[in-house]
Amino acid sequence: MNSSGAAAGEPIGVAVIGAGYWGPNLVRNFQNSAEFRLRWLCDLDVRRAERVLGGYSVVQPTDDLAAVLADDAVRAVAVATPAGTHLEVAMAALRAGKHVLVEKPLAASVEQGRALVAEAQRRGLSLMCDHTYCYTPAVLRIRELLHGGELGELQYLDSVRINLGLVQRDIDVVWDLAPHDLSILDFILPPGVVPVSVAAQGADRIGAGRACVAYLTLHLSTGAIAHIHVNWLSPVKIRTAIIGGSKRTLVWDDLNPSQRLSIFDRGVDVASADELGDEQRRDMLVSYRSGDMVAPALTEREALRTMVEEFARSIHSGTPALTDGAAGLRVMTILEAASRSLATDGKLISLSEWAEA
């Protein structure tokens, strides 16, 4: 038996809660994984669950969450319901002794997210947030390059995520688009490098009642800076990020499948004061280098498949997932602080003070 109470090699019994937009994607990937056995699909509209499963599925459709959580064969639950219900559903699953995967955001507020993280820790259960972008081949490679030091020390990150619409009714552009960039930033930052403050500015020039264009600036613990541009009003769709390191600079173009990543051995070198003569110490010597560009080959693989495998690894090993509940909580903390900054004309908000508030 392993630490989670099942025979070694036995598939993990799992249930998906929610058969709406994201639920069917989870259903498909759990069914295709040798690590899991999908047992239930639960939705308030049982007919919708039945349609997702089709007529020949052995998975049980239901609208009874209590029945799902009472099933001892279910050791894990994936929550794909509206954010406002995440606390109730995920907390019930944790209290029933189930490992939990939650569609982003982790909860409807930082306070609720803290409650879920604390409950999972108290019970020794895996709580994972489905930050899907983090499991794309491109982002996994970026994480590897930054953590391995190939890019050198991080100097800056500049991310652009813009398109035309859809203007959301209940959230602004920061809460709609920036969670992707913030979860990626959290995922790729080297150990010990963390955001310490955020400032956000936005505008609503179409009378939507909420920001449709916004810019977030995050200051990191090393003195580096990260800038995120999100926009519902752009006539073109752009998904790019430039990650500048002291050794190399990486450009990620997510809409270019033939060359998503480009690594440039080009940048600025500054000689330290110890390397300069007495007459030069007052003026730091700056030199520019222009080396080769390399485009790493990436194996295309569905991010959700990798995410599902990471959930299984976390359950089997008893160790946190790469995007665990704490990661989801960190992203939500930045989002709430950014909202506060937006409401105060771009005031710089300390994340440590906000997290303690």
Side-chain angles (χ1 to χ4, degrees), residues 93-151:
L94 290 169
R95 289 173 175 168
K98 316 297 185 185
H99 302 283
V100 176
L101 169 70
V102 183
E103 178 190 4
K104 67 169 184 62
L106 180 63
S109 68
V110 168
E111 182 179 4
Q112 292 182 3
R114 286 192 193 121
L116 290 175
V117 170
E119 188 71 20
Q121 291 175 341
R122 186 159 48 246
R123 295 179 179 273
L125 295 167
S126 177
L127 175 64
M128 180 176 178
C129 197
D130 181 7
H131 290 158
T132 309
Y133 266 101
C134 295
Y135 296 98
T136 60
V139 175
L140 287 169
R141 179 63 66 87
I142 294 171
R143 173 187 167 94
E144 178 184 308
L145 292 167
L146 272 174
H147 284 224
E150 282 87 345
L151 302 183

Side-chain angles (χ1 to χ4, degrees), residues 40-112:
W40 298 85
L41 176 57
C42 181
D43 194 273
L44 292 175
D45 182 351
V46 71
R47 291 184 179 178
R48 179 164 60 183
E50 290 171 347
R51 288 194 298 271
V52 169
L53 293 172
Y56 300 98
S57 176
V58 297
V59 180
Q60 299 180 73
T62 184
D63 59 1
D64 188 351
L65 177 61
V68 173
L69 298 182
D71 184 353
D72 290 338
V74 172
R75 294 169 46 221
V77 168
V79 180
T81 60
T85 67
H86 285 184
L87 176 65
E88 178 184 359
V89 176
M91 186 65 78
L94 290 169
R95 289 173 175 168
K98 316 297 185 185
H99 302 283
V100 176
L101 169 70
V102 183
E103 178 190 4
K104 67 169 184 62
L106 180 63
S109 68
V110 168
E111 182 179 4
Q112 292 182 3

